[in-house]
């Protein structure tokens, strides 16, 4: 049986799992790959942390694997953007295949890498959805479809926090603290709770589905930091589930990309996905809706996706990184953020006295925004109440202009909170 050598950059949680699974399931993987897969050498920052834990060579010099002609695949699992991009470029320039789980690097450099690679394979299944095979499913399994929409719960930290707030009536800070204690959230959770992790993954999926070359700063990104129990009460009252979603929607010759907390009707399957699990709903013009569900993070789940790429490369399959060489949608453009449309939920802290709702309704009406539902809750601030209302579908720019005016009224306190509703 022929042999294939790999060099790994990074032996953290995922890298260690890759090494263990390649050893424990060696016979199974060899049978599926058609060759024996060896880890020839791994690269780490600190040798002391991995001393005596592995039975292959380990170094701190990445050039030792990039310049080694006997190594066929470079597997990058270190994280970051600039340094991994340099490693990827040199690996491809040295005629090596490249596998990565690095969604941040791909969010900025995926098209550059595809151009550099030519016919060399690049695997990135582990960059979105952990162990869920969404990349191959979208790129290959749904290759005959125009993709009409993608709705993704693709950050387990946020999904855990929102589930905790819903099921146990905890506030955001308490739910975040528990997520950190359980290892679901980092000590600095900004990347997750402010939506950037979800945005990186959404951009990768949108590239495969639409060929859109957008960067994180080009799209709307909102996290869950401002979510309160009042928002959860509204969701329960009007039969919604609240989720942080990455959304891609095709509208004519435009694609709308946004990351946002979203109210979903309770009967929608994706809205029922709780805890740290991930789920991605993909709507194709022929296959209709497909739901990809499973463990969206964790060493073993992510390593499973990494090894699936290694097996695919070992089978000598070569295809464009994003699944196409020529444009798949002619004249398709990114829709400007301010022109996106949806229904909206508003949480407004206002004085508890006659005429307040009339003033707020008047401003909304002047911006062609109609109120659909209204719930008033007593505030813990004396002489104030909280208005929870939903609107009919309107344009993003109009609701933001209306909110800005409402926030400046003498009868209101603090900036109103806005959450989108997807029916």
């Amino acid at each position: 049986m022929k042999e294939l050598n790999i060099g790994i950059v990074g032996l953290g949680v995922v890298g260690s799992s890759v090494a263990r699974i390649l050893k424990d399931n060696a016979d199974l993987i060899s049978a599926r790959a058609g060759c024996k897969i060896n880890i020839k050498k791994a690269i780490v920052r600190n040798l002391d942390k991995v001393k005596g834990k592995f039975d292959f060579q380990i170094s701190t010099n990445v050039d030792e694997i990039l310049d080694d002609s006997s190594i066929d695949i470079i597997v990058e699992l270190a994280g970051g953007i600039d340094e991994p991009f340099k490693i990827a470029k040199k690996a491809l320039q040295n005629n090596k295949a490249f596998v990565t789980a690095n969604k941040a690097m791909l969010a900025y450099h995926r098209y550059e890498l595809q151009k550099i690679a030519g016919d060399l394979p690049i695997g990135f299944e582990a960059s979105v959805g952990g162990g869920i095979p969404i990349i191959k499913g979208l790129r290959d399994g749904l290759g005959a479809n125009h993709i009409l929409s993608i709705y993704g719960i693709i950050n387990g930290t946020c999904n855990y926090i929102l589930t905790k707030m819903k099921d146990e009536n905890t506030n955001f800070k308490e739910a975040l603290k528990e997520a950190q204690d359980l290892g679901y959230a980092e000590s600095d959770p900004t990347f997750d709770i402010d939506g950037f992790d979800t945005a990186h993954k959404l951009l990768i999926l949108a590239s495969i589905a639409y060929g859109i070359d957008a960067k994180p700063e080009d799209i709307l990104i909102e996290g869950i930091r401002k979510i309160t129990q009042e928002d959860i009460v509204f969701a329960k009252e009007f039969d919604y589930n609240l989720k942080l979603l990455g959304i891609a929607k095709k509208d004519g010759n435009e694609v709308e990309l946004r990351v946002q907390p979203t109210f979903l009707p309770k009967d929608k399957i994706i809205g029922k996905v709780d805890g740290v699990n991930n789920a991605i709903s993909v709507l194709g013009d022929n296959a209709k809706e497909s739901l990809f569900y499973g463990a969206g993070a964790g060493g073993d789940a992510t390593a499973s996706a990494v090894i699936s790429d290694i097996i695919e490369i070992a089978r000598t399959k070569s295809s464009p990184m994003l699944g196409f060489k020529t444009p798949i949608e002619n004249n398709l453009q990114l829709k400007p953020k301010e022109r996106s449309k949806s229904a909206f939920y508003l949480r407004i802290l206002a004085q508890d006295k006659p005429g307040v709702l009339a003033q707020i309704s008047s401003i909304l009406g002047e911006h062609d925004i109609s109120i659909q539902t209204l719930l008033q809750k007593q505030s813990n601030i004396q002489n104030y109440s909280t208005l929870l209302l939903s609107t009919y579908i309107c344009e993003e720019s109009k609701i933001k202009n209306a909110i800005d005016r409402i926030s400046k009224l003498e009868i209101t306190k603090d900036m109103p909170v806005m959450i989108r509703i997807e029916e």
Side-chain angles (χ1 to χ4, degrees):
M1 181 176 284
K2 67 176 183 178
E3 295 189 357
L4 183 140
N5 292 321
I6 67 173
I8 297 180
V9 182
L11 284 175
V13 174
V14 177
S16 297
S17 289
V18 168
R20 182 187 59 76
I21 294 170
L22 284 174
K23 182 177 181 179
D24 292 350
N25 291 359
D27 292 342
L28 170 72
I29 292 168
S30 295
R32 287 182 168 157
C35 67
K36 184 179 179 182
I37 296 172
N38 300 316
I39 299 176
K40 184 165 185 188
K41 184 175 286 188
I43 305 300
V44 298
R45 293 188 181 94
N46 188 338
L47 287 172
D48 291 335
K49 288 185 177 182
V50 295
K51 189 174 182 180
K53 293 182 179 180
F54 302 96
D55 58 0
F56 45 80
Q57 296 180 54
I58 302 176
S59 170
T60 58
N61 183 2
V62 71
D63 288 331
E64 290 182 19
I65 60 173
L66 291 172
D67 295 332
D68 187 338
S69 60
S70 70
I71 290 179
D72 306 288
I73 304 174
I74 300 296
V75 179
E76 185 274 310
L77 303 170
I81 296 176
D82 295 336
E83 191 60 30
F85 180 51
K86 292 177 185 177
I87 292 170
K89 283 198 298 183
K90 187 168 182 181
L92 295 167
Q93 289 164 351
N94 287 359
N95 204 38
K96 301 182 189 299
F98 183 71
V99 173
T100 184
N102 192 331
K103 64 262 184 183
M105 187 262 289
L106 293 175
Y108 284 96
H109 297 300
R110 58 200 183 281
Y111 284 92
E112 295 164 81
L113 289 181
Q114 177 166 261
K115 185 176 180 180
I116 295 167
D119 290 328
L120 281 169
I122 297 178
F124 56 108
E125 183 65 69
S127 65
V128 182
I132 303 169
I134 181 60
I135 301 296
K136 294 182 179 68
L138 186 59
R139 186 183 62 192
D140 302 328
L142 296 173
N145 290 258
H146 290 285
I147 303 302
L148 306 180
S149 67
I150 300 171
Y151 287 78
I153 297 171
I154 42 183
N155 183 275
T157 300
C158 290
N159 206 41
Y160 177 85
I161 290 170
L162 292 175
T163 301
K164 194 78 176 174
M165 292 178 71
K166 176 192 69 171
D167 291 346
E168 300 183 19
N169 297 321
T170 58
N171 63 39
F172 174 79
K173 287 185 177 180
E174 291 170 342
L176 172 59
K177 177 63 166 56
E178 182 161 334
Q180 290 171 322
D181 291 343
L182 293 170
Y184 298 147
E186 302 288 341
S187 56
D188 179 3
T190 302
F191 197 65
D192 292 317
I193 65 174
D194 287 339
F196 300 114
D197 176 75
T198 297
H200 293 162
K201 296 169 182 176
L202 177 67
L203 290 168
I204 294 168
L205 296 180
S207 290
I208 298 169
Y210 306 109
I212 286 286
D213 185 6
K215 301 292 190 292
E217 49 268 27
D218 299 327
I219 69 172
L220 187 150
I221 305 173
E222 294 178 4
I224 65 169
R225 196 184 290 267
K226 296 180 181 179
I227 302 299
T228 69
Q229 268 301 319
E230 291 166 316
D231 307 322
I232 303 298
V233 167
F234 177 88
K236 291 177 179 177
E237 185 77 20
F238 293 100
D239 291 328
Y240 289 116
N241 282 312
L242 180 56
K243 299 294 179 183
L244 181 71
L245 292 183
I247 298 174
K249 291 196 290 188
K250 185 181 176 187
D251 181 14
N253 68 338
E254 292 183 317
V255 173
E256 193 173 318
L257 298 180
R258 42 194 166 101
V259 173
Q260 63 195 46
T262 306
F263 286 116
L264 291 166
K266 280 190 174 179
D267 61 353
K268 292 291 182 184
I269 296 176
I270 192 171
K272 299 177 182 179
V273 174
D274 285 340
V276 294
N277 290 310
N278 282 197
I280 305 104
S281 168
V282 182
L283 184 64
D285 60 347
N286 293 306
K288 307 309 176 188
E289 184 178 20
S290 300
L291 184 69
F292 297 80
Y293 167 84
D300 288 355
T302 307
S304 172
V306 170
I307 294 170
S308 78
D309 285 332
I310 295 172
I311 291 171
E312 183 176 14
I313 292 169
R315 290 170 173 166
T316 68
K317 180 179 178 181
S318 178
S319 62
M321 173 185 171
L322 299 173
F324 54 88
K325 288 186 175 180
T326 57
I328 53 177
E329 299 277 5
N330 291 326
N331 302 316
L332 205 56
Q333 299 176 2
L334 183 67
K335 177 180 279 190
K337 291 179 277 190
E338 64 273 9
R339 288 204 292 106
S340 65
K341 291 183 178 181
S342 69
F344 292 88
Y345 155 90
L346 300 179
R347 171 168 34 95
I348 304 169
L349 185 59
Q351 292 177 10
D352 190 1
K353 66 180 185 179
V356 169
L357 183 58
Q359 290 187 58
I360 292 171
S361 299
S362 177
I363 291 175
L364 292 173
E366 289 171 19
H367 291 274
D368 300 320
I369 301 167
S370 299
I371 296 175
Q372 184 175 26
T373 62
L374 173 66
L375 188 65
Q376 184 169 337
K377 305 290 290 184
Q378 191 63 44
S379 169
N380 56 9
I381 300 177
Q382 189 174 5
N383 299 323
Y384 277 83
S385 63
T386 303
L387 300 177
L388 311 175
L389 60 90
S390 66
T391 74
Y392 287 96
I393 292 174
C394 63
E395 197 169 86
E396 182 92 12
S397 61
K398 292 184 177 182
I399 194 79
K400 286 191 171 178
N401 288 336
I403 288 173
D404 184 60
R405 287 184 59 191
I406 291 170
S407 71
K408 294 173 182 176
L409 293 173
E410 290 185 4
I411 59 168
T412 61
K413 186 177 180 65
D414 302 331
M415 176 65 74
V417 171
M418 177 187 75
I419 298 175
R420 292 157 192 83
I421 300 172
E422 291 285 337
E423 298 289 353

